[in-house]
Amino acid sequence: MAPTGSARRPGATRVPPVVLAFVLVPLLAEAFWVFWPALQGFSLSLTSWDGLSAPTFVGLGNFSEMLHDTVFRTAAINTVLWLLLFGGLSAALGLGAALLLQQERRGIGFYRAALFLPVVFSLVATALVWQAMYQPDGLINHVLQAVGLGGWKHAWLADQDTAFYAVIVPALWRQVGYVMVLYLAGLKGIDPVLYEAAKVDGATRVQQFRHITLPQLRSVNAVVLSVIVIDSLRSFDVVWALTRGGPYHSSELLSTYMYSTAFQSLRLGYGSALAVVIFVLAFGVIVSYLVRAFREAD
Amino acid sequence: MTAFNATRRGFLTGAGAIGAGALLSGCVTQTPSASAGKSGGPVTLQSNLSSPQAKTAMQAIVAAFDKRGDARAELNTVASETFRTQLPTYLTSANPPDVYTWYPGSVAESYAEKDLLLGLDDIWEKPELSGYSDALKTLCTSPSSSKKVFVPTSYYWWGMFYRKSNFAKWDVREPRTWDEFLDLCDKLKSKGVAPIGLGAGGDTPWVASAWFDYLDIRVNGATYHRELLAGKHRFDDPEIRKVFDKWDEVRPYFDPDGTAIPFQDATTALLQGRTGMMLIGTFFADAAPKNALDDLDFFQFPIIDPKVPVAEEAPTDGYFASARTKRADDAKELLRYLATAEAQELYLKSSSGTTLPTHPDAKDAGTPLVLKGRKLIEGAADLTQFFNRDSSDALQPTADTALVHYLAKPKEIGSILTTWQRGAQKIWSR
């Protein structure tokens, strides 16, 4: 569609100002709110700063400190564990719920809505409700007592052995509904003829699931995977509201450690260095995912 | 200073981009921009007193100040945890809130030495403040600049609080010595009551620091304690081990839920008689029902070593102002009013009334509890503020982690103290 030489007038290829504005304004906003602060954050990560005096340059000191920082190690391991547990379970449970609730039956809408409902609530509000349930005299311990499992009673959020897992539950509770909706949409898109053909051929339910449902869900899987990875790396609110990374750092994630180092201990240089690590991790995951996605598309 | 401001804002938005943004931007409270000069709208009074009774009391004070007509003030109440983490941002911003509720001593000094606090020497000469005690004058003077930077308005005491009716029911009495205290704990435990409530769970882990403070000032003395918090001693010194040896003696009597519930819930447990007593400051009464107030009593934290001069924790509360306020004259007018006996009595009347006013002519609530508290403080050889007030807010999280860890795994005290020292070192050398 290149314009021919004769038809070309000076200025014909000039982009109309409105279009230019549509490109430049978001770019400026993006530059101001994302790129510039990210660069500032990186430059801060090379300093030692208490938020009040002028920052002093320490080079890569913050990053080398991280290598020997046991809390950082705990937070990094927990973040990976979070990614695997939260990610794996929400995908598995979401798919399970979608398979269970895909048939059109009377009242099925109610169950779908019920499972999706937690997504609507703010995660901080969700966390507060769960906090009340986890209390030593809260609902969970009462139920355990009532069904004769009194020995299992526990200060769930105050014990380093249980705090991390106790925090994952509300996060999962919310994520499962979201993933379920994605899978439901994917399942609706599968042509029923495929199943009918398989039935004629005598395929069992398991075989149908393995050879029709799973391959047909490939594109949805990619969406779910990226949503899960991004959601787990940015998990902060639910942990902060429930335990603030405690007791003694047992439920610490990189994000909560960054926040507490920067804004509670007021070590903003080290906090920025942690933010850089999170940024690099998230960026790495997203880029490697995009590269793979593009390659598959080709 | 402009470049510095830009950097700070840059970092905040950067953090926002990565994930904490919603939290941060939701918390920062900006005052409407005002033109330079001495009066550009009402003085903003940024307050962290968010419990219902205290908030009502603050509203009453602001209303009374506005009625006088010298200047106008606007109350802005912020949740205390948000207030604490945002305070450096408020004070370094170009257009900060004017007057703040906060604490004197080394916490204020950390800002004063950076020139972020308004010098208040002139109003300390005025009749409202000239009669204040010398101890308060020293407490409110910045050591780095020798300027007064703080206006104290009330103080309170920490003690072992209990319900009189419960002690009568259990047939026990206030102990005086450490051994009597252990006996009392034994007796309560045998009656099926958790002897000592704590409330270091949820978002109030700092309550556990009171135990550390008191054991340290009873075992090593207040001077050593202040030096420790200033970085002149180490947390893994043998002196500190002695503190935890004493704590070990009484730890089995702590409520097992002590680190699982915040102090407000621990207060409920105390009032309902599920725990016997609790080391806490009088502020906990703000959350107690009015009819329970008359039944509350306290005893002094037991003496451990009679040779150590008796010190008590008596944190002082009050106000300071930002050095960058655009309404310095009006801000000082407000501070002067807050220092009057009238304003302080007004506060006591509207709140739970368990604090003591700083103005020598201001009448306290006059209840037996308050009289006893006043006597406790007046009889002390030395006064400390509290862990974070005698050190810094930045050091408090290191104590929270260490002490909650100790309460869960007391046998690991050796490694806990090493970690604590390492964490504190990072703050001191920051």
Side-chain angles (χ1 to χ4, degrees), chain B residues 407-418:
Chain B
L407 288 167
K409 305 262 158 110
K411 289 208 180 78
E412 293 172 15
I413 185 64
S415 70
I416 291 170
L417 292 181
T418 320

Side-chain angles (χ1 to χ4, degrees), chain A residues 33 37 40 44 49-50 52-53 65 135-136 155 158 160 236 244 248-249 263-268 272 275, chain B residues 4 8 10-14 23 81 84-85 92 114 116 203 257 259-261 265 394 401 405 408-409 426 430:
Chain A
W33 287 106
Q40 293 280 356
L44 267 185
W49 186 33
D50 65 356
L52 292 172
S53 332
E65 184 188 328
Q135 285 288 304
Q160 63 158 356
F236 169 84
R244 285 158 203 256
Y248 39 102
H249 304 300
F263 302 110
Q264 292 201 301
S265 303
L266 291 176
R267 301 183 64 220
L268 284 109
S272 307
Chain B
F4 166 59
R8 181 181 48 74
F11 174 72
L12 288 182
T13 42
L23 261 162
E81 181 64 14
R84 188 174 74 77
T85 49
T92 48
K114 310 247 159 54
L116 293 168
D203 53 3
D257 289 339
T259 56
I261 53 174
D265 291 1
T401 307
H405 195 170
K409 305 262 158 110
K426 286 179 191 167
R430 189 179 58 201

Side-chain angles (χ1 to χ4, degrees), chain B residues 155-168:
Chain B
Y155 56 104
Y156 62 91
W157 70 97
W158 283 68
M160 298 294 301
F161 282 85
Y162 64 90
R163 265 192 107 136
K164 284 185 275 193
S165 57
N166 281 343
F167 264 34

Side-chain angles (χ1 to χ4, degrees), chain B residues 348-377:
Chain B
L348 286 179
K349 223 178 286 162
S350 313
S351 69
S352 63
T354 47
T355 58
L356 300 169
T358 51
H359 196 290
D361 298 339
K363 281 197 239 12
D364 58 36
T367 59
L369 185 77
V370 168
L371 289 178
K372 196 171 169 186
R374 199 182 261 284
K375 215 172 130 210
L376 173 85
I377 294 179

